Amino acid sequence: MEIYLVRHGEAHSNIQHLLGRSDSYDLTDLGYEQSRKLATWLQQQDIKFDGLFASSSNRAYQTCTTATEWMGSDITISDDIREICRGDWDGKSVSLVENCAERLVDLENWKAPGDEAESLNDVENRMLKFLETKVFTLEATKRVGIFSHGKAIASLVKHFTDVAWADLEATYNFSNTCVSLLKYNTDKQQYQFEFVGKIEHLHE
């Protein structure tokens, strides 16, 4: 099975530097342009998804529909692949997290204020559960597309590469509309990333 993980295009929440899910924010004009370039690249690479999932956040769904409309595939919308929830800080400035010294003490388990807030480990477990219950159960011949978010995708890269959270962003690219391929290695009988953070479609 091939699992393509795609981050959404640039959204208004990105340019306003807002935290967390910010589900109602739409793509910017640039975000739509990025998504159209992704659509062209997918066609050129002859990549067509048999299974297609999109986060219920506007920006991820809009990226998915724009990039895959030519496929004619049905899209399953899921809350399970949304961005990390920052609780009471959702929709507020990223500086709240960046300037929080307490976060650096236990990066993987720290949570923002609020009952619904998630830690990075919570996001990793949520995304793994989604793969195990919704994706790995599909036929092995399937090619699946998952349109999600930066921290959500990074959590899977962290899990399957064993790169620590603190080193992820310095090691891999998680920019808008980046594409990562998680693929089953039949020889090793395990899933491995073939590539992470590909953005060649933005330079064509």
Side-chain angles (χ1 to χ4, degrees), residues 39 45 79 118:
Q45 301 297 315
D79 290 338
E118 293 179 298

Side-chain angles (χ1 to χ4, degrees), residues 132-150:
E132 291 166 357
T133 59
K134 303 296 184 181
V135 179
F136 291 162
T137 53
L138 300 175
E139 296 178 11
T141 55
K142 293 287 186 180
R143 177 180 280 168
V144 177
I146 299 174
F147 285 72
S148 185
H149 304 266

Side-chain angles (χ1 to χ4, degrees), residues 3 10 20 26 28 37 40 44-45 49 61 68 77 88 96 112-113 132 147 150 162 170 175 185 192 196 204:
I3 302 169
E10 182 190 75
D26 297 325
T28 62
K37 287 183 175 181
T40 299
Q44 291 172 343
Q45 301 297 315
F49 302 125
Y61 180 71
T68 67
I77 302 172
D88 294 344
L96 287 171
E132 291 166 357
F147 285 72
D162 290 328
S175 57
N185 186 316
Q192 295 180 320
V196 174
E204 294 183 352

Side-chain angles (χ1 to χ4, degrees), residues 8 24 27 50 53 55 58 70 84 94 97 109-110 119-120 126 136-137 139-140 175 184 190 197-198 201:
H8 60 80
S24 64
L27 293 180
D50 303 302
F53 298 89
S55 159
N58 284 3
W70 63 275
I84 186 172
V94 296
V97 168
N109 294 299
W110 176 84
S119 68
L120 293 173
R126 168 165 58 82
F136 291 162
T137 53
E139 296 178 11
S175 57
Y184 189 73
Q190 64 184 20
K198 184 173 287 190
H201 56 281

Side-chain angles (χ1 to χ4, degrees), residues 7-66:
R7 189 188 175 202
H8 60 80
E10 182 190 75
H12 290 281
S13 53
N14 295 139
I15 61 177
Q16 295 180 43
H17 304 292
L18 302 181
L19 280 171
R21 291 180 169 167
S22 304
D23 291 332
S24 64
Y25 283 85
D26 297 325
L27 293 180
T28 62
D29 289 343
L30 176 58
Y32 275 109
E33 180 183 348
Q34 293 168 335
S35 302
R36 288 190 292 270
K37 287 183 175 181
L38 176 60
T40 299
W41 181 80
L42 290 170
Q43 291 179 70
Q44 291 172 343
Q45 301 297 315
D46 195 28
I47 298 172
K48 187 173 183 180
F49 302 125
D50 303 302
L52 191 53
F53 298 89
S55 159
S56 54
S57 296
N58 284 3
R59 59 194 184 278
Y61 180 71
Q62 289 164 355
T63 302
C64 183
T65 55
T66 303

Side-chain angles (χ1 to χ4, degrees), residues 77-175:
I77 302 172
S78 176
D79 290 338
D80 296 332
I81 52 177
R82 287 190 294 170
E83 185 57 292
I84 186 172
C85 178
R86 294 298 190 182
D88 294 344
W89 287 0
D90 254 12
K92 297 183 179 180
S93 172
V94 296
S95 63
L96 287 171
V97 168
E98 293 173 347
N99 297 329
C100 180
E102 180 185 349
R103 174 179 67 98
L104 302 178
V105 175
D106 189 2
L107 186 63
E108 297 187 1
N109 294 299
W110 176 84
K111 298 181 182 181
D115 294 339
E116 296 183 359
E118 293 179 298
S119 68
L120 293 173
N121 276 343
D122 290 336
V123 177
E124 180 179 346
N125 291 332
R126 168 165 58 82
M127 291 297 290
L128 284 172
K129 182 178 179 181
F130 175 81
L131 288 185
E132 291 166 357
T133 59
K134 303 296 184 181
V135 179
F136 291 162
T137 53
L138 300 175
E139 296 178 11
T141 55
K142 293 287 186 180
R143 177 180 280 168
V144 177
I146 299 174
F147 285 72
S148 185
H149 304 266
K151 288 290 189 292
I153 293 170
S155 74
L156 295 179
V157 175
K158 181 260 181 185
H159 179 82
F160 288 100
T161 63
D162 290 328
V163 175
W165 272 110
D167 300 322
L168 271 178
E169 291 187 356
T171 305
Y172 296 110
N173 169 52
F174 296 107
S175 57

